[in-house]
Amino acid sequence: EVQLVESGGGLVKPGESLRVSCEASTFNFSDYTMNWFRQAPGKGLEWVSSITGSSRHKFYTDSVKGRFTIFRDNAKNSLYLQMHSLRVEDTGLYYCARDRAVSGAYASDNWGQGTRVTVSS
Amino acid sequence: SYVLTQPPSVSVASGQTARISCGGNKLSFKNVHWYQQKPGLAPVLVVYDDDERPSGIPGRFSGSKSGNTATLTVSRVEAGDEADYYCQVWDHDTDHWVFGGGTKLTV
């Protein structure tokens, strides 16, 4: 069974930085595109960023471009999201999720339980 | 930016059929995916590529698409189907994932 476990969330002030992580297990991690999604309190799902298996391609939603960096360590089966210049509107539950197939943009068939990021003064 | 439009809410009686729509420009050229999210839980993929069902998802869940509108159909609705449902597509023009605003299914 695919397992994705996020960690690293917390309470930070506007303008500060935070790194969230996602540890994957029981699948060939390096084959799959991985994604970060988030959900603000009481709001809908929002895509944040994606990275291909080799890290060759990275994609970001416009509101985080230049502030967030997605990266992965395939040797450690881990996905990361480094967040800088955090804003109040970045508050939410951050999920990592795996594409259901390799090589392309596919639906996310496995999700972690999320890690909560709160940006508040 | 690309927009997907869903009704905010759909209400059906137990045992009836619920249909949740998702509209978008040139949707016929995109693969539509559907997620179910129950309170306090992570989303679950219930339909992918318009009409494919992941293993473990009951056959009561089905997807279809006609022109610029995709539809998630839940047949013989049960109380346990009460959840938020989101449609999603990959926008090749911007290389962005896009979600609809979500539909709350009330049974």
PDB file of all heavy atoms in Angstrom, chain A residues 56-72:
ATOM      1  N   ARG A  56      13.477  17.044 -13.528  1.00  0.00           N
ATOM      2  CA  ARG A  56      13.771  17.859 -14.711  1.00  0.00           C
ATOM      3  C   ARG A  56      12.759  18.995 -14.884  1.00  0.00           C
ATOM      4  O   ARG A  56      13.088  20.088 -15.320  1.00  0.00           O
ATOM      5  CB  ARG A  56      13.776  16.971 -15.948  1.00  0.00           C
ATOM      6  CG  ARG A  56      14.082  17.730 -17.223  1.00  0.00           C
ATOM      7  CD  ARG A  56      14.159  16.805 -18.410  1.00  0.00           C
ATOM      8  NE  ARG A  56      14.458  17.541 -19.648  1.00  0.00           N
ATOM      9  CZ  ARG A  56      14.485  16.981 -20.843  1.00  0.00           C
ATOM     10  NH1 ARG A  56      14.244  15.697 -20.990  1.00  0.00           N
ATOM     11  NH2 ARG A  56      14.751  17.721 -21.916  1.00  0.00           N
ATOM     12  N   HIS A  57      11.508  18.693 -14.554  1.00  0.00           N
ATOM     13  CA  HIS A  57      10.467  19.699 -14.748  1.00  0.00           C
ATOM     14  C   HIS A  57       9.784  20.017 -13.422  1.00  0.00           C
ATOM     15  O   HIS A  57       9.429  19.106 -12.667  1.00  0.00           O
ATOM     16  CB  HIS A  57       9.421  19.214 -15.750  1.00  0.00           C
ATOM     17  CG  HIS A  57       9.975  18.947 -17.108  1.00  0.00           C
ATOM     18  ND1 HIS A  57      10.393  19.953 -17.954  1.00  0.00           N
ATOM     19  CD2 HIS A  57      10.204  17.789 -17.772  1.00  0.00           C
ATOM     20  CE1 HIS A  57      10.843  19.421 -19.073  1.00  0.00           C
ATOM     21  NE2 HIS A  57      10.747  18.112 -18.990  1.00  0.00           N
ATOM     22  N   LYS A  58       9.614  21.305 -13.172  1.00  0.00           N
ATOM     23  CA  LYS A  58       8.934  21.769 -11.967  1.00  0.00           C
ATOM     24  C   LYS A  58       7.881  22.787 -12.388  1.00  0.00           C
ATOM     25  O   LYS A  58       8.129  23.605 -13.281  1.00  0.00           O
ATOM     26  CB  LYS A  58       9.940  22.400 -10.991  1.00  0.00           C
ATOM     27  CG  LYS A  58      11.057  21.457 -10.576  1.00  0.00           C
ATOM     28  CD  LYS A  58      12.060  22.150  -9.678  1.00  0.00           C
ATOM     29  CE  LYS A  58      13.211  21.196  -9.321  1.00  0.00           C
ATOM     30  NZ  LYS A  58      14.186  21.834  -8.396  1.00  0.00           N
ATOM     31  N   PHE A  59       6.752  22.737 -11.736  1.00  0.00           N
ATOM     32  CA  PHE A  59       5.639  23.611 -12.085  1.00  0.00           C
ATOM     33  C   PHE A  59       5.097  24.240 -10.809  1.00  0.00           C
ATOM     34  O   PHE A  59       5.063  23.593  -9.754  1.00  0.00           O
ATOM     35  CB  PHE A  59       4.522  22.822 -12.775  1.00  0.00           C
ATOM     36  CG  PHE A  59       4.980  22.006 -13.947  1.00  0.00           C
ATOM     37  CD1 PHE A  59       5.343  20.682 -13.774  1.00  0.00           C
ATOM     38  CD2 PHE A  59       5.050  22.557 -15.208  1.00  0.00           C
ATOM     39  CE1 PHE A  59       5.780  19.916 -14.850  1.00  0.00           C
ATOM     40  CE2 PHE A  59       5.468  21.801 -16.295  1.00  0.00           C
ATOM     41  CZ  PHE A  59       5.839  20.474 -16.114  1.00  0.00           C
ATOM     42  N   TYR A  60       4.664  25.501 -10.916  1.00  0.00           N
ATOM     43  CA  TYR A  60       4.154  26.222  -9.753  1.00  0.00           C
ATOM     44  C   TYR A  60       2.899  27.002 -10.106  1.00  0.00           C
ATOM     45  O   TYR A  60       2.780  27.552 -11.207  1.00  0.00           O
ATOM     46  CB  TYR A  60       5.198  27.220  -9.241  1.00  0.00           C
ATOM     47  CG  TYR A  60       6.509  26.623  -8.818  1.00  0.00           C
ATOM     48  CD1 TYR A  60       7.572  26.511  -9.706  1.00  0.00           C
ATOM     49  CD2 TYR A  60       6.690  26.175  -7.515  1.00  0.00           C
ATOM     50  CE1 TYR A  60       8.782  25.958  -9.310  1.00  0.00           C
ATOM     51  CE2 TYR A  60       7.898  25.629  -7.105  1.00  0.00           C
ATOM     52  CZ  TYR A  60       8.929  25.518  -8.017  1.00  0.00           C
ATOM     53  OH  TYR A  60      10.131  24.971  -7.616  1.00  0.00           O
ATOM     54  N   THR A  61       2.003  27.088  -9.146  1.00  0.00           N
ATOM     55  CA  THR A  61       0.895  28.005  -9.332  1.00  0.00           C
ATOM     56  C   THR A  61       1.422  29.435  -9.254  1.00  0.00           C
ATOM     57  O   THR A  61       2.452  29.695  -8.615  1.00  0.00           O
ATOM     58  CB  THR A  61      -0.209  27.761  -8.285  1.00  0.00           C
ATOM     59  OG1 THR A  61      -1.390  28.468  -8.662  1.00  0.00           O
ATOM     60  CG2 THR A  61       0.222  28.217  -6.900  1.00  0.00           C
ATOM     61  N   ASP A  62       0.749  30.352  -9.901  1.00  0.00           N
ATOM     62  CA  ASP A  62       1.288  31.702 -10.048  1.00  0.00           C
ATOM     63  C   ASP A  62       1.540  32.394  -8.711  1.00  0.00           C
ATOM     64  O   ASP A  62       2.517  33.145  -8.560  1.00  0.00           O
ATOM     65  CB  ASP A  62       0.331  32.553 -10.887  1.00  0.00           C
ATOM     66  CG  ASP A  62       0.248  32.081 -12.328  1.00  0.00           C
ATOM     67  OD1 ASP A  62       1.093  31.249 -12.738  1.00  0.00           O
ATOM     68  OD2 ASP A  62      -0.660  32.517 -13.053  1.00  0.00           O
ATOM     69  N   SER A  63       0.693  32.158  -7.736  1.00  0.00           N
ATOM     70  CA  SER A  63       0.792  32.900  -6.478  1.00  0.00           C
ATOM     71  C   SER A  63       2.008  32.516  -5.627  1.00  0.00           C
ATOM     72  O   SER A  63       2.350  33.226  -4.683  1.00  0.00           O
ATOM     73  CB  SER A  63      -0.486  32.716  -5.660  1.00  0.00           C
ATOM     74  OG  SER A  63      -0.633  31.365  -5.274  1.00  0.00           O
ATOM     75  N   VAL A  64       2.651  31.390  -5.958  1.00  0.00           N
ATOM     76  CA  VAL A  64       3.814  30.978  -5.160  1.00  0.00           C
ATOM     77  C   VAL A  64       5.107  31.040  -5.950  1.00  0.00           C
ATOM     78  O   VAL A  64       6.199  30.859  -5.380  1.00  0.00           O
ATOM     79  CB  VAL A  64       3.637  29.559  -4.569  1.00  0.00           C
ATOM     80  CG1 VAL A  64       2.308  29.440  -3.847  1.00  0.00           C
ATOM     81  CG2 VAL A  64       3.794  28.482  -5.626  1.00  0.00           C
ATOM     82  N   LYS A  65       5.007  31.308  -7.247  1.00  0.00           N
ATOM     83  CA  LYS A  65       6.209  31.344  -8.083  1.00  0.00           C
ATOM     84  C   LYS A  65       7.180  32.386  -7.562  1.00  0.00           C
ATOM     85  O   LYS A  65       6.804  33.521  -7.255  1.00  0.00           O
ATOM     86  CB  LYS A  65       5.802  31.654  -9.522  1.00  0.00           C
ATOM     87  CG  LYS A  65       6.669  31.032 -10.572  1.00  0.00           C
ATOM     88  CD  LYS A  65       6.065  31.188 -11.964  1.00  0.00           C
ATOM     89  CE  LYS A  65       4.835  30.329 -12.149  1.00  0.00           C
ATOM     90  NZ  LYS A  65       4.303  30.380 -13.540  1.00  0.00           N
ATOM     91  N   GLY A  66       8.450  31.987  -7.413  1.00  0.00           N
ATOM     92  CA  GLY A  66       9.456  32.899  -6.894  1.00  0.00           C
ATOM     93  C   GLY A  66       9.578  32.878  -5.381  1.00  0.00           C
ATOM     94  O   GLY A  66      10.545  33.396  -4.828  1.00  0.00           O
ATOM     95  N   ARG A  67       8.602  32.304  -4.700  1.00  0.00           N
ATOM     96  CA  ARG A  67       8.645  32.220  -3.228  1.00  0.00           C
ATOM     97  C   ARG A  67       8.812  30.781  -2.748  1.00  0.00           C
ATOM     98  O   ARG A  67       9.442  30.532  -1.717  1.00  0.00           O
ATOM     99  CB  ARG A  67       7.369  32.798  -2.636  1.00  0.00           C
ATOM    100  CG  ARG A  67       7.108  34.255  -2.950  1.00  0.00           C
ATOM    101  CD  ARG A  67       5.922  34.793  -2.151  1.00  0.00           C
ATOM    102  NE  ARG A  67       4.672  34.084  -2.437  1.00  0.00           N
ATOM    103  CZ  ARG A  67       3.951  33.466  -1.507  1.00  0.00           C
ATOM    104  NH1 ARG A  67       4.334  33.452  -0.243  1.00  0.00           N
ATOM    105  NH2 ARG A  67       2.817  32.860  -1.844  1.00  0.00           N
ATOM    106  N   PHE A  68       8.215  29.842  -3.475  1.00  0.00           N
ATOM    107  CA  PHE A  68       8.266  28.432  -3.092  1.00  0.00           C
ATOM    108  C   PHE A  68       9.174  27.668  -4.051  1.00  0.00           C
ATOM    109  O   PHE A  68       9.229  27.979  -5.250  1.00  0.00           O
ATOM    110  CB  PHE A  68       6.878  27.801  -3.149  1.00  0.00           C
ATOM    111  CG  PHE A  68       5.907  28.257  -2.094  1.00  0.00           C
ATOM    112  CD1 PHE A  68       6.164  29.350  -1.276  1.00  0.00           C
ATOM    113  CD2 PHE A  68       4.719  27.574  -1.909  1.00  0.00           C
ATOM    114  CE1 PHE A  68       5.260  29.763  -0.309  1.00  0.00           C
ATOM    115  CE2 PHE A  68       3.791  27.965  -0.951  1.00  0.00           C
ATOM    116  CZ  PHE A  68       4.071  29.064  -0.155  1.00  0.00           C
ATOM    117  N   THR A  69       9.850  26.650  -3.524  1.00  0.00           N
ATOM    118  CA  THR A  69      10.661  25.758  -4.350  1.00  0.00           C
ATOM    119  C   THR A  69      10.315  24.321  -4.010  1.00  0.00           C
ATOM    120  O   THR A  69      10.369  23.922  -2.845  1.00  0.00           O
ATOM    121  CB  THR A  69      12.162  25.996  -4.111  1.00  0.00           C
ATOM    122  OG1 THR A  69      12.489  27.350  -4.429  1.00  0.00           O
ATOM    123  CG2 THR A  69      12.995  25.060  -4.984  1.00  0.00           C
ATOM    124  N   ILE A  70       9.975  23.553  -5.031  1.00  0.00           N
ATOM    125  CA  ILE A  70       9.722  22.135  -4.845  1.00  0.00           C
ATOM    126  C   ILE A  70      10.988  21.373  -5.209  1.00  0.00           C
ATOM    127  O   ILE A  70      11.688  21.717  -6.172  1.00  0.00           O
ATOM    128  CB  ILE A  70       8.523  21.662  -5.711  1.00  0.00           C
ATOM    129  CG1 ILE A  70       8.100  20.249  -5.337  1.00  0.00           C
ATOM    130  CG2 ILE A  70       8.826  21.782  -7.207  1.00  0.00           C
ATOM    131  CD1 ILE A  70       6.790  19.805  -6.011  1.00  0.00           C
ATOM    132  N   PHE A  71      11.327  20.359  -4.433  1.00  0.00           N
ATOM    133  CA  PHE A  71      12.450  19.504  -4.777  1.00  0.00           C
ATOM    134  C   PHE A  71      12.255  18.156  -4.146  1.00  0.00           C
ATOM    135  O   PHE A  71      11.368  17.968  -3.313  1.00  0.00           O
ATOM    136  CB  PHE A  71      13.792  20.145  -4.394  1.00  0.00           C
ATOM    137  CG  PHE A  71      13.991  20.408  -2.920  1.00  0.00           C
ATOM    138  CD1 PHE A  71      14.795  19.554  -2.146  1.00  0.00           C
ATOM    139  CD2 PHE A  71      13.432  21.514  -2.302  1.00  0.00           C
ATOM    140  CE1 PHE A  71      14.998  19.807  -0.804  1.00  0.00           C
ATOM    141  CE2 PHE A  71      13.637  21.760  -0.955  1.00  0.00           C
ATOM    142  CZ  PHE A  71      14.418  20.906  -0.208  1.00  0.00           C
ATOM    143  N   ARG A  72      13.061  17.207  -4.567  1.00  0.00           N
ATOM    144  CA  ARG A  72      12.927  15.842  -4.080  1.00  0.00           C
ATOM    145  C   ARG A  72      14.294  15.209  -3.933  1.00  0.00           C
ATOM    146  O   ARG A  72      15.250  15.603  -4.593  1.00  0.00           O
ATOM    147  CB  ARG A  72      12.045  15.039  -5.028  1.00  0.00           C
ATOM    148  CG  ARG A  72      12.590  14.896  -6.438  1.00  0.00           C
ATOM    149  CD  ARG A  72      11.521  14.378  -7.417  1.00  0.00           C
ATOM    150  NE  ARG A  72      11.082  13.026  -7.095  1.00  0.00           N
ATOM    151  CZ  ARG A  72       9.965  12.479  -7.566  1.00  0.00           C
ATOM    152  NH1 ARG A  72       9.160  13.178  -8.355  1.00  0.00           N
ATOM    153  NH2 ARG A  72       9.633  11.241  -7.244  1.00  0.00           N
TER     154      ARG A  72
END
